[in-house]
Amino acid sequence: MSKRRNGCGRLRHGLRSLAVVAVAAALWLGEGAVEGAAQQPPAVVSVDEVRMEAMAQTVPVIGRLVARRAGEVAARTAGPVAALHVYVGDRVETGDPIAELDAIRLRAERDRLAAIVNEAQAQVERLVAQSALHRQELRRLEGLRNSAAFSQSRFEDARQQVIIAESAIGTADAARLSAAASLSLAEIDLAWAKIAAPYPGVVTLVHTEVGAWLGVGARVVSMVNDQDLEVEADVPSSRVGALDSGAQVSVVLDDGTEHTAIVRTVVPEENALTRTRRVRFTPRFSALRKPLAINQSATVVLPAGRSRQVLTVHKDAIVRNQGQAFVYVAQDGAAQIRPVQLGAAVGGRFEVLGGLGPGEPVVVRGNERLRPGQAITVGGAG
């Protein structure tokens, strides 16, 4: 009795499947054309299997491109501007000349200090020679200690002369080191008279002109490194929990191009008014339609929650008629049309809510001219 009931159940399921196919074919072609479709020559098609995919809901957040290195290049020493080598919009590399200060006074100061160093060195050498003479006298008097010519007072005086000479050498050597340090500072100032680019980038503003006097720390130019950009977005604090360091997201620029980006850091500071936190993403740009710019708009597509497994079908398998979505299932050498219910998009696929099962082969190439029940030859995967 059980076997009979199971057989009846399978029969009813088979009849329902045939009914679905028949209804779909009737919707697609009309009842009178189904028979003729089976008599058409086999069509060469490509197929793709219905499969499970991980899908996560996403939420867009408006962000912007920011430079990791940008700011003002300042003068490190004082002096009048003798030459400017860049203009707004110029691209420079690390070490390229930006401006030069008039270095006449700086060179003169260096030469003066160099002379002081030489004088201090000569003074040290003179005192070293004088100390050697005092030591020689002390050794001579010490050799007379056991003779009648020995004078204890003269011996003590000679020993004190040695101590004084060594002390004078120490003082002179300290003066020499101080003069040498001043000379080093003068040489640094002279080198800093040539203002160079600290990193590669583009000049965005020029703050001075030839003939202007620059003090230490005065602005020369503003620069931005447009080759080392990040995406910054103010993300609602309720969303940052899913943004672990190293997580991958999608970034859509205002030119319509889509790119991937990696979460670099979530800044541990929350805006009390908007309840958002700044998040920095490291993008991987490719196939740009226009040059990138600082503060350019970028939409970051963030995960709204944990991913889930859903049944998906390739987007190229979908054909539509009268507002209904259909697919052709490759079955027993024929294209069987099947109405399907679709959900959200998952990359290049659609979520399947009904009408298909895992592993079913659907036609993704050559389905534009197919008719329900038409014979097919599978030529390759989609």
Side-chain angles (χ1 to χ4, degrees), residues 66-71 91 199-202 223-229 294:
V66 295
R68 297 186 67 176
R69 304 185 74 178
R91 183 173 296 279
Y199 50 84
V202 176
M223 283 180 53
V224 61
N225 186 351
D226 63 336
Q227 302 301 311
D228 187 13
L229 302 178
I294 310 305

Side-chain angles (χ1 to χ4, degrees), residues 106-371:
L106 296 175
R107 279 192 290 268
E109 178 66 9
R110 179 202 57 187
D111 294 343
R112 184 182 72 84
L113 291 172
I116 292 176
V117 170
N118 292 336
E119 181 183 359
Q121 179 65 35
Q123 176 71 1
V124 170
E125 292 174 358
R126 185 182 68 81
L127 291 173
V128 167
Q130 189 174 12
S131 175
L133 184 61
H134 289 311
R135 284 182 177 277
Q136 180 180 343
E137 177 65 15
L138 181 62
R139 286 193 298 270
R140 187 182 69 80
L141 292 175
E142 193 172 11
L144 299 174
R145 183 180 292 273
N146 296 325
S147 69
F150 178 77
S151 171
Q152 183 66 35
S153 61
R154 290 181 61 189
F155 178 79
E156 293 296 336
D157 290 344
R159 187 161 59 181
Q160 289 298 321
Q161 289 292 336
V162 170
I163 294 173
I164 293 172
E166 289 179 348
S167 177
I169 291 173
T171 302
D173 194 51
R176 180 187 63 82
L177 291 175
S178 177
S182 297
L183 176 61
S184 296
L185 291 175
E187 289 174 342
I188 291 173
D189 284 341
L190 185 59
W192 282 350
K194 295 182 178 180
I195 302 168
Y199 50 84
V202 176
V203 176
T204 57
L205 282 174
V206 176
H207 300 285
T208 189
E209 189 49 84
V210 174
W213 177 270
L214 295 181
V216 176
R219 298 179 300 172
V220 181
V221 298
S222 293
M223 283 180 53
V224 61
N225 186 351
D226 63 336
Q227 302 301 311
D228 187 13
L229 302 178
E230 287 188 327
V231 178
E232 184 179 79
D234 297 320
V235 178
S237 57
S238 60
R239 304 291 185 190
V240 298
L243 298 179
D244 297 327
S245 180
Q248 182 171 302
V249 299
S250 294
V251 174
V252 181
L253 298 180
D254 56 6
D255 61 2
T257 58
E258 184 173 353
H259 313 271
T260 59
I262 303 298
V263 178
R264 184 175 70 82
T265 187
V266 177
V267 179
E269 181 182 13
E270 186 166 314
N271 188 315
L273 297 178
T274 61
R275 292 303 172 193
T276 58
R277 299 185 188 181
R278 284 181 296 138
V279 182
R280 286 290 186 98
F281 304 87
T282 302
R284 298 171 181 170
F285 293 122
S286 60
L288 296 168
R289 294 178 183 171
K290 66 178 183 180
L292 299 175
I294 310 305
N295 294 321
Q296 180 178 342
S297 176
T299 302
V300 184
V301 183
L302 302 178
R306 295 186 178 275
S307 62
R308 57 189 178 90
Q309 294 292 319
V310 296
L311 191 65
T312 65
V313 64
H314 198 286
K315 64 179 182 180
D316 291 339
I318 307 301
V319 291
R320 297 184 183 273
N321 189 15
Q322 300 180 9
Q324 173 66 50
F326 297 86
V327 298
Y328 284 105
V329 180
Q331 185 177 349
D332 299 328
Q336 304 296 344
I337 195 166
R338 187 89 58 84
V340 292
Q341 292 178 311
L342 302 178
V346 187
R349 305 175 71 84
F350 286 108
E351 179 185 6
V352 178
L353 301 179
L356 291 171
E360 288 194 275
V362 294
V363 179
V364 294
R365 295 289 184 273
N367 53 357
E368 299 87 354
R369 296 182 178 83
L370 281 180
R371 293 294 180 265

Side-chain angles (χ1 to χ4, degrees), residues 20 29 42 46 60 63 65 83 86 104 125 169 193 209 217 233 238 266 357 374:
V20 168
L29 292 173
S46 299
L65 298 185
V86 295
I104 294 177
E125 292 174 358
I169 291 173
E209 189 49 84
S238 60
V266 177
Q374 183 177 350

